[in-house]
Amino acid sequence: MSTLRSVSHREGVAADSANRQQLANLLLEVARCVDRDVAARVPSALDTDPRVEALRHILLEPEQAALAELRHKLDDPEQLSAAVSAILPAAIARALQRDDRLSRELTPVIEDAAQSSIRRDPRTLIGTLAPLMGPVIRKSVAETLDSSLQRLNQALKYSLSWQGLKWRMEALRTGTSFAEVVLKHTLVFRVEHVFLIHRKTGLMLEHVAADEASAKDPQLVSGMLAAIQDFVRDSFDESALGGIDTLRLGEFVLWCEEGPLAFLAAVIRGNPPERLHDLLRQTLDTIHAENRTALENFDGDVSEFVAVRSNLERCLERQEKPADVRTTPLLWVIPAVLLVALAYWRWHGYVEERAMASYVRKLQAEPGIAVTSLDHRDGKWYITGLRDPLAANPTDLLRASAVDPEEVVSNWEPYQALHPVIAMKRIEATLKPPSTVRFALDGDTIRATGTAPRRWIEKARTLAAVLPPGSAQLDLSALADVQLGELDRLRDAIQARQIFFGYGDALPKPGQDSVIESLGAELKTLDEVSRKLDVGVRVMLTGHADATGRDTPNLGLSVARAEAVRALLRKQGVDPDLLAVRGAGPMEPVAPGVSEQDHSRNRRVSLTVNILD
C-alpha cells in the first residue's frame, strides 16, 4: 500500500512539473509575440505554432467532429451493427444486380449452415419446409392424377370405340403398335428430341427427349447432324445457304436453328406450326446469352451445359387434334352398368331392410320375446333381446322369414315372461294335464275345462294359489272330477258281478261264460278310461268257499277259483297287471245260512275295483 502511494505521489509531481513547463512555454511565446526583439533573441520553446493550431481548429472543427463520431461508431459494436443493418439490404440487392459474385460467395456458407443445422436438429428444417412441402406435394399429386386420368380416358375411349377397333385393325395390318397408330391419327405434332450441338466441334452439348420417344444413341445422332451440316456447307455456297433449315423423312421433320457458336436440332413428329421456329430461336439466343464464355472456350467438357437442359425441355411441345365431341354409345356402357349395379345394390338393401323389419315385427309380436337393440354393420345384422324359454324359437322364425340367416347374429338373454300365453304354457308344462283337460285364455284368465282326476285337480289348485302377482290367474271352476263319472259307473257295474262255482269245483259252473265275457269287456273299458284319465286302477279277484268241510282246504279252493277266473279274463284280453287275486275261504259268506242254497251262493268269486289317487 505504501508503495502504491509513493508511485501516485511521483506521478502527481511529474504532471505538475509538465503543466508548469507548458505554462512557461506559453508565456514565453506570448512575450515573443508582443516584443519582436525577444522573438529575435529567444527561440520558441513550443514544438508547434499555437496560432497554426488555432487556425486548424477553426477550419477543420466539423470534419474532426465527424471523424470522432465515425471512430466512436467503429469502436462501438452496437452502433456499428446498427449502421451496417441499415444499409445491408440495399447493399445485397445492388450486389445481386451487378453480378453473381455475392451468390457464389454466400452459397458455400449457406450450404454449410444448412447442413450443420440439419445435423444438429433436423426438426427445425422440417418445420420450416412443412408449410411449403404440403402444397407442393398436393399439386404434384393432383397433376399426376389428372395426367393419369386423361390417359385412362383416352385409352378407354380408343379401346371401346368403333374408331379404336379400326385403329387396332390398322395396327395389325401394318405391323405397327397400337400407340403408333393412335399418334398418327390424333397427334398434330410432337417435339420428340432436341439436340444442342457445338457448331465448331460438332459435339453434342445437351439432349432432351419426350417421355414416349425412342431413338438411337444421341451422340451418334448429333454427330450425323453435324456431318450433314458440314456436308451441305462444303457442297454448296455457305454464304448463300447457311445450313440445313428443314429436313423431312416420313412423318418426322428435322428443324435446325443455327447460332454463332451452337445450333439447335429438333426432331418433330407430325406437322409443326411456324411459331415453333420462334421458340427454337429464342431458346438458342438465351443459351448463347447465358453461356457465351463456355461456348467460346468449349474444350469437350459438357458438364458446364447441364443448366441449359431446362431451356431445351421448354421446346418439347406437343399438340393433339381437338377431341371429337361425338361419343360412342359404348362409352355409356360402363356408366350404365355402374348405375344399374348401384340401383341393384340399393334395391337389394331396401328389400333386405324391409325383410329385417318384418322379422323384427314378428319377434315383437311373439309373447315372451322382447327385442332390445338392432344394428347393421360390416354386412351383418346384430339383434339382441330377452326370450322366455317357453316362447317361440327365434331361429325358426328367422328361417321362415325372407332374411338370410347367415347375415344375422342373435343374442338372446333368458327371462321369465308374465304374458298370459307364456303363463298358460308354463302351467301346462308344470301340471302335464290329461288329454281330457283343455286350457283357454279369457283375457288375463286361464280357464281349464274338461275332466280330470281328483288328485290332478288338487295339484292344479295348489299351483293356482302360488302364481306370482301380475301373472294370469288359473280358473278351475269348469273342471269336472272324473271319478264321479264313467269311472264310478264302471266300478259299480264290475263290483256287482259274481262268478259261481259247483261244490268242490275250482272252475266256474256251466252257464257262467256269458258272465265272464261281459266282465272281461267291462274290465277292458275300465282300463281304457283309467289310462285316458291317467288314473291308477287295480281290480281284486276274491275267491270264496262254503262253510262245509275244513277251513284250510276251503281257503286253497277259494284261491284256486280266483286264479281260474283271472286266467279266463286274460283269455278275454284283460291286462293281467290290472288284476290281483286273493282267497277268503268261508270267512266272507254272502249268505250265512246252512241250506244248500246258501252254500251255493257262497261258492263264488267277487270283484273289488280300487281307484288309486
Side-chain angles (χ1 to χ4, degrees):
M1 180 62 74
S2 61
T3 303
L4 293 175
R5 282 198 296 269
S6 176
V7 171
S8 177
H9 177 71
R10 286 195 299 270
E11 292 178 352
V13 171
D16 291 341
S17 178
N19 292 333
R20 284 196 295 271
Q21 183 63 38
Q22 183 71 18
L23 179 60
N25 293 337
L26 289 175
L27 292 174
L28 178 59
E29 190 66 23
V30 170
R32 292 181 70 247
C33 294
V34 173
D35 190 352
R36 294 183 176 179
D37 294 338
V38 175
R41 293 194 307 270
V42 180
S44 177
L46 297 177
D47 298 335
T48 58
D49 190 352
R51 292 170 296 182
V52 175
E53 290 297 330
L55 180 59
R56 179 185 301 169
H57 179 73
I58 293 172
L59 295 178
L60 301 178
E61 183 180 5
E63 287 75 10
Q64 289 178 346
L67 290 174
E69 184 181 0
L70 180 59
R71 178 174 297 172
H72 180 70
K73 286 185 178 180
L74 293 175
D75 294 339
D76 188 351
E78 293 186 359
Q79 294 190 12
L80 179 60
S81 61
V84 172
S85 63
I87 64 172
L88 185 59
I92 293 175
R94 178 167 295 182
L96 293 176
Q97 293 176 355
R98 184 175 61 247
D99 50 33
D100 59 346
R101 287 182 299 172
L102 181 60
S103 299
R104 290 199 302 268
E105 295 299 331
L106 290 179
T107 298
V109 178
I110 295 175
E111 291 177 351
D112 294 341
Q115 293 176 358
S116 176
S117 175
I118 293 173
R119 286 195 296 269
R120 184 173 62 258
D121 186 5
R123 292 174 296 182
T124 302
L125 185 59
I126 293 174
T128 304
L129 297 178
L132 300 175
M133 294 175 64
V136 171
I137 293 174
R138 286 195 295 271
K139 182 179 180 181
S140 177
V141 172
E143 291 177 351
T144 304
L145 289 177
D146 290 341
S147 177
S148 301
L149 289 175
Q150 185 177 3
R151 288 196 295 271
L152 177 61
N153 291 333
Q154 289 183 346
L156 290 175
K157 174 184 175 182
Y158 297 139
S159 298
L160 300 178
S161 64
W162 173 247
Q163 190 178 43
L165 295 177
K166 290 195 298 183
W167 289 351
R168 286 192 179 278
M169 295 298 296
E170 181 179 347
L172 293 174
R173 187 179 67 257
T174 58
T176 57
S177 65
F178 178 68
E180 292 288 336
V181 176
V182 172
L183 281 177
K184 174 183 176 182
H185 291 284
T186 60
L187 192 67
V188 175
F189 79 93
R190 183 178 71 180
V191 181
E192 298 196 346
H193 298 275
V194 178
F195 297 89
L196 176 63
I197 301 173
H198 191 251
R199 181 169 182 175
K200 183 177 181 181
T201 63
L203 296 177
M204 185 186 72
L205 303 178
E206 189 55 78
H207 164 253
V208 294
D211 295 337
E212 301 171 355
S214 61
K216 303 296 183 181
D217 184 9
Q219 292 287 355
L220 178 60
V221 174
S222 65
M224 296 176 65
L225 290 174
I228 293 173
Q229 290 278 20
D230 294 340
F231 169 75
V232 172
R233 292 193 189 94
D234 295 341
S235 302
F236 304 95
D237 185 0
E238 181 179 359
S239 59
L241 298 177
I244 296 176
D245 179 73
T246 303
L247 181 64
R248 175 173 286 278
L249 180 61
E251 58 180 343
F252 289 96
V253 177
L254 176 66
W255 278 9
C256 292
E257 288 293 337
E258 290 204 46
L261 301 174
F263 69 89
L264 278 180
V267 179
I268 308 164
R269 182 193 292 269
N271 300 312
E274 286 299 323
R275 64 173 179 80
L276 191 59
H277 271 301
D278 298 336
L279 178 59
L280 295 176
R281 169 54 59 186
Q282 292 173 3
T283 302
L284 186 62
D285 293 343
T286 302
I287 292 173
H288 275 78
E290 295 178 351
N291 304 273
R292 176 171 292 279
T293 302
L295 291 171
E296 291 175 347
N297 302 324
F298 178 65
D299 57 356
D301 183 10
V302 298
S303 60
E304 298 182 5
F305 299 95
V306 175
V308 305
R309 185 176 183 83
S310 59
N311 295 329
L312 299 181
E313 288 176 345
R314 286 196 289 271
C315 298
L316 295 175
E317 288 194 348
R318 63 179 295 165
Q319 180 180 354
E320 296 181 358
K321 295 180 180 177
D324 192 356
V325 297
R326 294 178 302 173
T327 56
T328 173
L330 293 177
L331 291 178
W332 292 99
V333 172
I334 294 179
V337 170
L338 293 177
L339 186 61
V340 171
L342 178 62
Y344 174 77
W345 173 74
R346 191 67 193 96
W347 174 81
H348 179 72
Y350 173 73
V351 171
E352 185 179 0
E353 290 176 359
R354 283 179 56 87
M356 193 64 195
S358 175
Y359 170 60
V360 172
R361 285 196 297 271
K362 288 182 179 178
L363 288 175
Q364 292 174 336
E366 282 293 332
I369 294 179
V371 178
T372 58
S373 69
L374 176 65
D375 190 17
H376 187 224
R377 61 179 185 274
D378 301 331
K380 296 281 188 180
W381 290 97
Y382 293 86
I383 183 170
T384 58
L386 304 174
R387 174 180 176 267
D388 190 287
L390 298 177
N393 190 349
T395 303
D396 296 338
L397 297 176
L398 180 61
R399 292 196 186 97
S401 69
V403 180
D404 185 1
E406 297 295 331
E407 298 180 354
V408 179
V409 179
S410 302
N411 182 21
W412 299 103
E413 296 293 335
Y415 85 113
Q416 192 173 50
L418 297 179
H419 194 279
V421 174
I422 300 300
M424 185 172 68
K425 289 184 177 181
R426 186 171 292 108
I427 289 173
E428 290 177 345
T430 303
L431 295 177
K432 294 182 174 56
S435 58
T436 57
V437 175
R438 295 287 184 273
F439 287 106
L441 278 174
D442 185 6
D444 292 338
T445 302
I446 303 171
R447 300 190 186 282
T449 58
T451 59
R454 186 175 305 161
R455 184 184 58 176
W456 187 91
I457 294 175
E458 293 299 330
K459 182 179 177 181
R461 287 172 179 169
T462 303
L463 177 63
V466 297
L467 289 175
S471 175
Q473 298 302 308
L474 178 60
D475 183 6
L476 302 172
S477 60
L479 197 63
D481 188 344
V482 69
Q483 295 182 7
L484 299 177
E486 181 69 14
L487 201 60
D488 286 351
R489 185 188 65 76
L490 289 171
R491 181 187 58 187
D492 295 342
I494 292 171
Q495 290 184 159
R497 299 284 184 182
Q498 291 187 7
I499 297 93
F500 295 98
F501 296 81
Y503 175 76
D505 293 335
L507 295 175
K509 294 171 63 175
Q512 295 296 305
D513 294 341
S514 59
V515 177
I516 293 174
E517 184 178 353
S518 299
L519 179 60
E522 291 171 347
L523 288 175
K524 287 189 288 186
T525 303
L526 176 65
D527 188 26
E528 293 176 359
V529 173
S530 63
R531 290 179 184 275
K532 187 181 299 183
L533 298 177
D534 193 20
V535 175
V537 175
R538 294 298 299 275
V539 178
M540 179 61 71
L541 302 177
T542 304
H544 301 272
D546 57 22
T548 60
R550 292 182 298 180
D551 292 340
T552 300
N554 286 335
L555 180 60
L557 179 61
S558 64
V559 173
R561 287 172 176 167
E563 289 289 353
V565 172
R566 181 163 70 174
L568 293 173
L569 291 175
R570 290 176 60 183
K571 289 183 178 180
Q572 295 291 328
V574 178
D575 186 359
D577 294 336
L578 182 65
L579 305 175
V581 297
R582 63 183 282 266
M587 302 305 294
E588 300 175 4
V590 69
V594 296
S595 64
E596 178 56 29
Q597 184 178 1
D598 294 333
H599 289 314
S600 177
R601 293 181 58 191
N602 289 331
R603 293 191 292 268
R604 72 189 194 281
V605 169
S606 63
L607 297 97
T608 305
V609 177
N610 298 314
I611 298 176
L612 306 178
D613 293 336

